[in-house]
Every structure is written in C-alpha cells, then in structure tokens.
C-alpha cells in the first residue's frame, strides 16, 4: 500500500529500492564537450569533437576510407565495363578489316588469274561500289553530299589518282604473286615522305628518315630473290604507290578548306563514282568488250566456270567496298598513328595468308627481305609520333 501511494505521488520518477534519481544538472550523452574524464580512465576522450559510441579516430578513419574505396570501385565499374566494350568492339573491327582484306586479295587474284583484264575488273569493282554508295544515300543511311562546281574541280585530280592506283595494283597482281605486290606496296611511306617534301614542304624528321632505310633495303632484298619477279608487275606496283600517295597528299593540300571538304565516306564514294566514269571508256578502248562467250569460255578453261567467275568477281567487289568502309570506321575510333600501325599489321596478315593459300614459294632471303621492309613500316608509323624539338631563341 505504501508503495502504491508513493507511486501515485511521483508519476514521473519510478521508486525502486536503493535508487537515487539522476540530478537534472548532469549532462546528456550527446554533450561530451561539457565534461572530461581523468586521463587514466579507459573512456578518456582527448578530442572534444569525437563521435558518439566511443569509436576511436583511427578506426573511424579506416572505416571511412574503406567505405570511400568501395564507393569509388562501384562508380568505376561502369567506366571499366564501357572501356572493355570499346576494346572488344575495336578488336572485332580490326579482325573484320583483316578478314575482308584477305578475302579481297584471294578472290581478286583468282579472278585476274583466269580473266587477265585488270581495267575491266577494276571498272566492275568501281561500278559495284558506286551502286552500293547510291543505295546508302537513297535509304538515308548516310547523308548525300551536294557537290558544287568548285568541289568537282578539286575532286577530279584526286579521282584520277584513285583510278590509276587501283588499276595499276590490279595490273601488278596479274603479273606477280600477291605477297610480292604487297611487299612492294610496303614502300608507300617512302613516297609519302618524298611527295610531302616536294608539294607540301614538309621535311621528314631524323627518325622518320631513318625508318625509310629498312623499308627500301627490305623491298630491294625481297625483289632480288622473288621467284615470280616480273618487271611489269614491279613497275606497276611502284607506280601504284606513287599515285596512291599522290592522292593522299593532294587531298591534304586541296581539301583543307571546310567549305570544300567532304566527310571521308562521302569523299570515298564520290571519288569511286568519278573513277568509274573515267575507267569505263578506257577499259572499252584498251581491252575491248570482254564479256563475250569466247572470253568467258577461256576463263572456264583456266579452272573457273562462268558461275564461279561471276561469284568471285562479286565477292571481291563487295570485299573491296566493305574493307574501305570498315577502315574508315576504325579511323574514327583510334588515332591516325594507331591506324597506321594496324595497317602495317594488315599487310603482314595479307602476305602470310596469300603465301599459305596460293602456296607461293618463298626463299629464306626473300622472307628476310619482306620482314625487314615490314619492320621498317612499323618503325615509320612509330617515328611519326615523335614530334620535332622546337628551337627556342
């Protein structure tokens, strides 16, 4: 009864035996900065701003660092995944580029071997590409360019060089092995440097000039020991180097104005269509009409019937267009120097694959010369990255 009475008189403070109520002046738990403990106490706080629950500062800092690292790792996961996707995409594009080049060179050589009319074959390839480009424009897969008169005057010499480069390459492929043609075409950097110095006034650096030495020496060594060596094949491959690099140098010189420039896909398409119009009259004048039954029968007697000849010609034209487009797509993904290195590797892949497929006899000295030239091409692509030292006054 007494207990009940005491409870009724003190509703806010329960009564227990030996219980002493806490005075109101004692600090609350969250007000650590209003009192201190003796240094000997295990609960002594040296920092008045220490957090509650008596967590030591080193442990708290470690905890915060771990939490931050986990957060950063999680935030980096999408970026790493994106980089991985881009790397895989680039690898797939390079593999496709190399594969299309291999098939183009194999099919093209098979067609030219039984149908030795390079101007007609090249005109067919240009015509096929022109058809594909017009379909791309028709279905709005790429914006159609509007060509003005001033642009056309600029494009005509480029188209002429584009035409000659492809025709001369096919003439070389008619006369010599695919591997030898591409070994000679490894000298493209030499003519790039030469023509850039003559027309653009761009003098090569010491490292660029040094990289040309193994290129020239390797091609000379491979040419002296080439089993399929033919002067027409050798000269036309060299001339193809000159015309192709002239096209590149002229494009740099003439397409510098934004008003006159085209994007690279439209430039390729327009040049190919103009080249087709250039080449059809030349092919008819020089080689005549070569689609008669007698010429097709001659091709059949060399190992390919009419159906096989047409299928390989279409496939070679398709690969010719496709590898150009893939090359431009890769160029948009990487720097020009990286693209040049990939192009050097591509030439190695073409040479090795053609030697294996066509069982081309290769002597040890010939293989060494080809390897030296290709190493020189790789060194040239690396030397282009070295910027000349600016002289200070």
């Amino acid at each position: 009864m007494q207990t009940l009475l005491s409870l009724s008189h003190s509703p806010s403070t329960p009564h227990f035996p030996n219980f002493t109520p806490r005075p109101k002046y004692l600090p609350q738990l969250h007000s650590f900065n209003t009192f201190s403990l003796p240094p000997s106490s295990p609960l002594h706080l040296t920092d008045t701003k220490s957090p509650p629950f008596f967590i030591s500062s080193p442990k708290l800092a470690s905890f915060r660092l771990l939490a931050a690292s986990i957060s950063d790792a999680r935030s980096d996961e999408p970026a790493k995944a994106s980089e991985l996707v881009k790397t895989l995409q680039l690898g797939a594009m390079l593999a496709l580029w190399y594969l299309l080049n291999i098939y183009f060179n194999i099919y093209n050589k098979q067609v030219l071997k039984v149908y030795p009319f390079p101007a007609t074959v090249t005109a067919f390839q240009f015509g096929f590409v022109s058809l594909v480009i017009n379909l791309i424009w028709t279905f709005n897969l790429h914006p159609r360019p509007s060509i003005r008169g001033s642009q056309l005057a600029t494009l005509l010499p480029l188209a002429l060089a584009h035409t000659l480069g492809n025709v001369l390459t096919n003439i070389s492929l008619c006369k010599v092995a695919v591997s030898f043609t591409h070994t000679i075409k490894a000298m493209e950097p030499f003519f790039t440097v030469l023509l850039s110095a003559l027309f653009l006034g761009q003098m090569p650096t010491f490292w660029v000039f040094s990289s040309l030495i193994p290129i020239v020496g390797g091609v000379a060594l491979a040419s002296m020991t080439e089993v399929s060596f033919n002067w027409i094949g050798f000269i036309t491959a060299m001339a193809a180097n000159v015309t192709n690099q002239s096209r590149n140098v002229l494009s740099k010189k003439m397409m510098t104005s934004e008003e006159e420039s085209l994007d690279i896909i439209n430039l390729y398409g327009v040049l190919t269509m103009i080249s087709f119009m250039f080449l059809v009259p030349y092919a008819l004048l020089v080689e005549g009409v070569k689609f008669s039954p007698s010429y097709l029968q001659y091709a059949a007697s060399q190992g390919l019937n009419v159906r096989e000849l047409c299928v390989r010609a279409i496939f070679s034209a398709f690969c010719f267009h496709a590898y150009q487009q893939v090359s431009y797509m890769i160029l948009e993904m990487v720097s020009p120097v990286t693209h040049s290195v990939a192009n050097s590797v591509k030439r190695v892949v073409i040479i090795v694959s053609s030697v294996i497929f066509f069982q081309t006899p290769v002597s040890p000295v010939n293989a060494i010369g080809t390897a030296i030239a290709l190493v020189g091409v790789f060194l040239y692509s690396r030397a282009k990255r070295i910027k000349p030292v600016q002289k200070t006054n």
Side-chain angles (χ1 to χ4, degrees):
M1 176 65 73
Q2 184 179 359
T3 305
L4 293 174
L5 289 174
S6 63
L7 288 173
S8 63
H9 288 289
S10 303
S12 61
T13 307
H15 178 76
F16 296 100
N18 301 324
F19 175 79
T20 302
R22 185 182 66 184
K24 294 183 179 180
Y25 63 85
L26 285 179
Q28 301 297 322
L29 285 176
H30 63 273
S31 302
F32 289 108
N33 57 347
T34 61
F35 72 98
S36 61
L37 295 173
S40 60
S41 173
L43 300 180
H44 173 68
L45 301 177
T46 58
D47 188 357
T48 59
K49 295 183 180 180
S50 296
F53 309 115
F54 305 106
I55 300 176
S56 62
S57 296
K59 290 184 178 180
L60 181 63
S62 176
F63 175 76
R64 288 176 175 172
L65 181 61
L66 177 61
S69 62
I70 293 174
S71 178
D72 291 341
R74 289 179 177 176
S75 63
D76 287 343
E77 285 179 1
K80 291 181 179 179
S82 177
E83 289 296 326
L84 178 60
V85 170
K86 289 181 180 179
T87 302
L88 293 176
Q89 183 182 7
L90 178 60
M93 295 292 287
L94 288 172
L96 180 61
W97 188 30
Y98 295 163
L99 191 64
L100 289 169
N101 271 276
I102 291 172
Y103 275 106
F104 167 70
N105 282 277
I106 289 175
Y107 285 139
N108 197 37
K109 178 64 176 178
Q110 288 179 331
V111 170
L112 291 169
K113 191 174 181 179
V114 301
Y115 191 76
F117 306 108
T120 302
V121 171
T122 308
F124 175 78
Q125 293 169 350
F126 284 162
F128 183 90
V129 173
S130 300
L131 176 62
V132 173
I133 291 293
N134 276 283
L135 290 175
I136 290 174
W137 289 338
T138 300
F139 290 101
N140 294 322
L141 300 178
H142 194 81
R144 184 190 296 269
S146 57
I147 307 298
R148 299 186 298 274
S150 59
Q151 286 179 312
L152 185 61
T154 301
L155 291 171
L156 287 178
L158 298 178
L160 180 60
H162 183 63
T163 305
L164 291 174
N166 284 275
V167 172
L168 291 169
T169 299
N170 278 341
I171 293 175
S172 179
L173 288 172
C174 277
K175 300 298 181 180
V176 296
V178 175
S179 57
F180 184 54
T181 297
H182 281 278
T183 300
I184 300 172
K185 287 177 72 66
M187 283 194 65
E188 285 181 348
F190 172 82
F191 291 102
T192 300
V193 172
L194 179 63
L195 294 173
S196 296
L198 291 176
F199 294 103
L200 301 180
Q202 298 177 354
M203 302 306 296
T205 64
F206 171 79
W207 297 110
V208 170
F209 182 81
S210 299
S211 67
L212 299 178
I213 297 175
I215 295 176
V216 177
V219 170
L221 185 61
S223 301
M224 289 189 297
T225 57
E226 174 61 34
V227 177
S228 66
F229 182 85
N230 178 280
W231 277 110
I232 296 178
F234 177 81
I235 293 173
T236 51
M238 282 292 186
N241 285 335
V242 175
T243 54
N244 284 331
Q245 298 315 304
S246 298
R247 176 195 60 195
N248 295 340
V249 171
L250 287 174
S251 64
K252 291 180 182 178
K253 185 177 181 179
M254 296 182 178
M255 307 298 288
T256 54
S257 173
E258 293 184 0
E259 296 179 355
E260 302 295 329
S261 63
L262 299 171
D263 67 77
I264 197 165
I265 293 179
N266 281 336
L267 177 62
Y268 165 70
V270 172
L271 288 181
T272 302
M273 285 188 286
I274 297 175
S275 297
F276 175 67
M277 291 185 286
F278 278 163
L279 195 54
V280 169
Y282 172 82
L284 293 175
L285 180 64
V286 175
E287 295 179 348
V289 179
K290 301 303 181 184
F291 294 101
S292 62
S294 59
Y295 287 105
L296 296 177
Q297 189 62 33
Y298 171 79
S301 67
Q302 300 297 312
L304 290 179
N305 57 40
V306 176
R307 179 178 175 275
E308 291 173 336
L309 176 65
C310 293
V311 168
R312 281 166 172 75
I314 292 173
F315 272 134
S316 67
F318 171 78
C319 292
F320 173 74
H321 167 72
Y323 87 73
Q324 299 275 3
Q325 293 288 345
V326 173
S327 176
Y328 297 144
M329 293 171 66
I330 293 173
L331 188 58
E332 292 179 352
M333 299 171 64
V334 300
S335 66
V337 174
T338 302
H339 189 274
S340 179
V341 174
N343 192 57
S344 303
V345 177
K346 180 203 74 176
R347 202 170 296 283
V348 176
V349 171
I350 293 173
I351 291 174
V352 173
S353 61
S354 64
V355 167
I356 295 173
F357 184 85
F358 294 108
Q359 298 181 350
T360 306
V362 179
S363 65
V365 178
N366 182 271
I368 292 173
T370 302
I372 292 174
L374 295 175
V375 169
V377 173
F378 176 78
L379 293 176
Y380 169 82
S381 63
R382 303 298 296 178
K384 293 289 288 184
R385 297 184 62 181
I386 303 175
K387 297 181 179 179
V389 179
Q390 299 292 334
K391 295 182 179 180
T392 58
N393 295 329

